[in-house]
Amino acid sequence: QQPVQSPQAVILREGEDAVINCSSSKALYSVHWYRQKHGEAPVFLMILLKGGEQMRHEKISASFNEKKQQSSLYLTASQLSYSGTYFCGTEMMKTSYDKVIFGPGTSLSVIP
Amino acid sequence: DARVTQTPRHKVTEMGQEVTMRCQPILGHNTVFWYRQTMMQGLELLAYFRNRAPLDDSGMPKDRFSAEMPDATLATLKIQPSEPRDSAVYFCASGLVVGQGRGYTFGSGTRLTVV
C-alpha cells in the first residue's frame, strides 16, 4: 500500500529541471507532496485531489493522473534551496478517514 | 506562523525504560498523526486521531506502544518497555480534513536513542 517513488536520487546543476514520480497500485483520493531538508521536519508543498487541478508552489508544480494512479512533481529551473528529500503521501479512495501513507522519498541535490 | 510543538527534542534512554513523547497540535486542527522515521523504513504511520478519537493504530506495535489524546491540546506516544530497535525520529503532524485541500504541519520531531 506504500506508494512507489522514482527516481530514488537525482543530482542537478542549478537551473536544470527534474521530474519526480509517485505511483500507487490502489485507487487514490489525494496525493500530497512534502520536502524534507536534512535534520528538519517534512514541509508541505501541495496537495492534489481527485478531480482537481494541477497545483503549483513557486517554480514547483505537480499533476495527478487519476486513471493511472500516478502523480508527478516538476521542478523547473532548480535552485540550491530545492535540495532535500521529496516525499509523496497518498490517501486511498475513499476511506472514511484521511490516512496518508508516504513513499520512500526521492533525494534531490542541486549543485552550483 | 502556527507550529506543532513536540517535546522532548532529544531523548536517550536505556533499554527497558518507559519513554513518553508529547505533541501540542496547532490550535483548531482536528487531525493528529504520529509517524516514525528511520533510514530503513522511511516515514511510517503509527497512529492517528480525528477529533481526539483514535482512528487507526495498526502501524503501532501494540504490546509496547500506546497513543492517546487526553485533550485537544495534547497528544502522547508512549513506549514501555523501550528497545534499541525503537531508536528513530518520531514526528507528530496536525491538520484539518484533507479534502479541504490542505496538507499537514509537522512538528520538529523527537529523536529517540535507546541504548
Side-chain angles (χ1 to χ4, degrees), chain B residues 13-25:
Chain B
T13 191
E14 292 185 347
M15 184 173 63
Q17 295 298 304
E18 178 178 300
V19 176
T20 298
M21 290 169 269
R22 293 176 174 80
C23 167
Q24 181 178 353

Side-chain angles (χ1 to χ4, degrees), chain B residues 1-75:
Chain B
D1 285 342
R3 289 186 182 186
V4 175
T5 303
Q6 287 188 248
T7 55
R9 289 293 308 274
H10 302 272
K11 176 73 177 179
V12 180
T13 191
E14 292 185 347
M15 184 173 63
Q17 295 298 304
E18 178 178 300
V19 176
T20 298
M21 290 169 269
R22 293 176 174 80
C23 167
Q24 181 178 353
I26 291 173
L27 190 65
H29 281 186
N30 65 349
T31 305
V32 175
F33 293 80
W34 282 106
Y35 287 93
R36 174 171 66 182
Q37 186 173 38
T38 60
M39 288 295 292
M40 295 301 295
Q41 301 295 328
L43 276 163
E44 297 176 271
L45 177 63
L46 297 176
Y48 77 108
F49 297 80
R50 168 73 43 73
N51 297 322
R52 294 177 53 202
L55 290 187
D56 191 326
D57 61 2
S58 58
M60 219 161 58
K62 298 289 190 304
D63 56 339
R64 300 184 300 107
F65 283 61
S66 62
E68 296 180 346
M69 257 197 99
D71 62 61
T73 64
L74 178 64

Side-chain angles (χ1 to χ4, degrees), chain A:
Chain A
Q1 153 170 3
Q2 182 186 42
V4 176
Q5 285 186 239
S6 63
Q8 280 189 308
V10 59
I11 299 175
L12 297 174
R13 290 203 177 276
E14 232 178 331
E16 291 182 337
D17 301 339
V19 180
I20 299 172
N21 298 302
C22 175
S23 64
S24 172
S25 59
K26 304 283 188 182
L28 297 177
Y29 176 71
S30 75
V31 178
H32 296 225
W33 286 98
Y34 290 75
R35 177 172 62 207
Q36 184 178 31
K37 294 186 180 287
H38 184 69
E40 299 180 6
V43 174
F44 173 72
L45 293 176
M46 63 192 83
I47 183 172
L48 298 104
L49 303 175
K50 182 177 182 298
E53 299 176 351
Q54 184 172 11
M55 299 299 289
R56 190 166 198 88
H57 172 83
E58 299 173 349
K59 289 187 178 177
I60 301 172
S61 61
S63 63
F64 180 20
N65 185 324
E66 299 161 29
K67 290 183 181 177
K68 293 185 177 180
Q69 314 306 327
Q70 291 176 351
S71 178
S72 294
L73 189 71
Y74 306 95
L75 297 102
T76 306
S78 57
Q79 306 168 13
L80 296 176
S81 62
Y82 285 3
S83 293
T85 301
Y86 289 78
F87 293 95
C88 71
T90 54
E91 182 198 6
M92 302 302 158
M93 174 81 126
K94 167 64 177 160
T95 54
S96 59
Y97 35 79
D98 305 288
K99 179 174 173 178
V100 179
I101 305 297
F102 286 96
T106 295
S107 174
L108 180 80
S109 298
V110 181
I111 58 176

